[in-house]
Amino acid sequence: MEISLTAKQKQKVFEPMFKNFETEEILEYFKEIVTKIPNGIFYKPASSSGKYHNSQQIGEYGQLIHIYMFSDILNMLLNLEYNKNRFPNPIERDLMRCVPALHDMCKYGMVGSRKHTTSMHPIMAKDKLIIINNQKNFEHPLKEEYLKMLCEMCERHSGEWNTYKDTEFIYNDNGEYLYEKTIKKEMEKPQNDRDILIHECDMLASRNYLTYVIPDDLIKRFKENVKIG
């Protein structure tokens, strides 16, 4: 089942997050970038296998519930005086606020049509953000230093669970194909306080022993803009 969504519908889904932003520059970027999130993220579960996420997140709108739980945890922590001092730049804090919606945007592939999730999704999210930012019709591109910061947070959000499977093609000296083999590769782990906080919030937002009190108006918003069935 594939569901088509308009840019306006995607923005309406994420509209409650807009109030968290401190800077107009990053808010305008966020409003536009969420329209580029693949459709599948708006109705598929956060886990196609039922593992690694709590029961709230493995059904309809599961990925959206994960996103909102992640966002609420992150914003609670960013509002603490200690973290305001640790991350004193409001641009940096706002870039962090973009991550919950974007870190898993390619969990079901670059266009969101895969049946199962892919462990390569952090790298794919980074690549997709760069591609979109360079498109001529994208109206609110990030400055290079801000894009780098955002891409790093998305790519590194899995923390120590950073391996993925890839295919290596083997050729002879004449360049003729011989065979292929599956190899394990590693993504970057968190490198700084910003990356670490993002990883920790993502982890907390998926634990089985933590339940998210989902506001009724949020589920209503999902159903009004993402009609399943």
Side-chain angles (χ1 to χ4, degrees):
M1 174 186 66
E2 295 295 329
I3 296 175
S4 295
L5 295 166
T6 65
K8 186 175 181 179
Q9 286 173 319
K10 292 181 179 183
Q11 285 183 327
K12 291 293 287 185
V13 166
F14 288 108
E15 192 173 57
M17 290 187 183
F18 296 171
K19 67 181 184 301
N20 298 321
F21 287 81
E22 302 174 69
T23 66
E24 191 69 20
E25 179 179 359
I26 306 304
L27 173 59
E28 290 305 312
Y29 169 79
F30 184 74
K31 286 180 178 179
E32 186 173 9
I33 194 66
V34 296
T35 69
K36 308 297 184 181
I37 295 175
N39 291 341
I41 295 302
F42 289 82
Y43 58 89
K44 291 183 179 182
S47 170
S48 58
S49 67
K51 300 177 181 179
Y52 315 120
H53 283 266
N54 66 43
S55 58
Q56 294 175 305
Q57 299 173 14
I58 58 175
E60 292 180 351
Y61 309 116
Q63 182 61 38
L64 289 180
I65 293 170
H66 171 64
I67 288 169
Y68 267 89
M69 187 174 180
F70 184 169
S71 179
D72 283 354
I73 292 170
L74 176 63
N75 278 290
M76 177 191 68
L77 294 176
L78 286 179
N79 285 330
L80 295 176
E81 183 179 353
Y82 171 77
N83 283 322
K84 284 183 179 180
N85 292 332
R86 188 159 60 137
F87 308 108
N89 188 335
I91 290 284
E92 180 182 21
R93 293 196 296 267
D94 275 356
L95 288 170
M96 295 171 77
R97 291 183 173 102
C98 292
V99 177
L102 303 176
H103 73 296
D104 284 343
M105 68 188 297
C106 295
K107 183 171 272 189
Y108 287 91
M110 291 291 273
V111 297
S113 60
R114 288 173 60 108
K115 183 177 180 180
H116 298 290
T117 60
T118 170
S119 58
M120 288 181 63
H121 70 270
I123 292 177
M124 296 169 77
K126 175 199 70 175
D127 291 344
K128 193 173 186 73
L129 289 172
I130 293 171
I131 291 169
I132 293 170
N133 209 68
N134 289 329
Q135 291 174 344
K136 291 183 178 179
N137 63 346
F138 191 71
E139 296 180 2
H140 299 93
L142 290 176
K143 296 177 182 177
E144 197 64 35
E145 62 182 301
Y146 299 161
L147 178 63
K148 181 176 182 293
M149 196 181 301
L150 178 59
C151 286
E152 287 174 349
M153 288 187 283
C154 288
E155 182 179 4
R156 299 168 181 171
H157 78 263
S158 295
E160 62 198 86
W161 292 276
N162 68 327
T163 59
Y164 66 95
K165 292 180 181 179
D166 199 1
T167 302
E168 181 178 0
F169 297 95
I170 309 301
Y171 302 88
N172 63 20
D173 293 339
N174 295 322
E176 298 169 328
Y177 170 81
L178 296 177
Y179 62 92
E180 60 189 66
K181 63 180 181 179
T182 300
I183 57 173
K184 275 191 175 183
K185 290 187 176 181
E186 291 189 352
M187 295 173 281
E188 287 190 6
K189 293 181 179 180
Q191 302 291 316
N192 51 54
D193 285 351
R194 182 176 59 242
D195 296 342
I196 292 169
L197 183 61
I198 288 296
H199 168 59
E200 290 172 341
C201 290
D202 182 38
M203 290 297 297
L204 287 171
S206 63
R207 298 304 88 192
N208 283 322
Y209 47 80
L210 294 178
T211 301
Y212 181 48
V213 179
I214 309 168
D216 291 339
D217 60 342
L218 190 58
I219 294 298
K220 181 181 178 183
R221 179 177 293 272
F222 294 166
K223 290 181 176 180
E224 285 176 347
N225 292 286
V226 187
K227 301 185 186 300
I228 300 176

